[in-house]
Amino acid sequence: MSRPLASSMRCSTAIVTPMKPNGELDQTALRKLAQFQRRHGVIDIVVNGTTGESPTTSDHEKQRLLHDVSNADSSINFIAGCGTNDTRHALQLVDLAKAVGVSLVLLVDPYYN
């Protein structure tokens, strides 16, 4: 027998970064993906995590992704992946996220150094 979910439980999803065949960000698909997540009960989404191809997107692309998700649905809480193997760079990514209005970030300890 299954138990009903507790009302205090939250569903969060680390989303992928939709790309066009030419390698550019697919901002329309990203907005649709964010809205789909929200319609299906997701409260928080992680943008620019390793699931979202963060090692291969530029800082400018990361900022565009955060901006697009924040404009997709104002009821979505989003968490910005800001982890890198360079502490200074990670702090720069946190600043980019804060500039877009992100209040939560996902960080990893600097690795391999």
Side-chain angles (χ1 to χ4, degrees):
M1 177 163 52
S2 64
R3 293 185 310 173
L5 291 175
S7 61
S8 64
M9 294 183 78
R10 296 172 72 115
C11 180
S12 303
T13 302
I15 62 170
V16 299
T17 299
M19 305 294 254
K20 295 178 181 176
N22 66 0
E24 291 180 19
L25 300 177
D26 189 336
Q27 293 170 285
T28 301
L30 177 69
R31 283 192 281 286
K32 288 179 182 178
L33 176 60
Q35 291 166 349
F36 175 87
Q37 296 293 316
R38 185 64 186 114
R39 277 194 315 272
H40 289 86
V42 172
I43 303 297
D44 309 299
I45 59 174
V46 177
V47 180
N48 294 329
T50 53
T51 301
E53 295 73 42
S54 65
T56 60
T57 53
S58 70
D59 290 356
H60 177 73
E61 289 172 321
K62 286 175 179 56
Q63 190 172 28
R64 283 180 48 204
L65 290 164
L66 292 171
H67 183 267
D68 285 350
V69 169
S70 69
N71 288 328
D73 184 333
S74 62
S75 67
I76 296 173
N77 297 315
F78 60 104
I79 302 164
C82 297
T84 73
N85 67 336
D86 176 343
T87 303
R88 285 183 210 101
H89 186 213
L91 291 173
Q92 291 170 349
L93 293 176
V94 169
D95 288 340
L96 288 176
K98 286 174 21 181
V100 178
V102 173
S103 58
L104 296 170
V105 297
L106 177 67
L107 291 166
V108 295
D109 291 332
Y111 45 91
Y112 303 124
N113 293 340

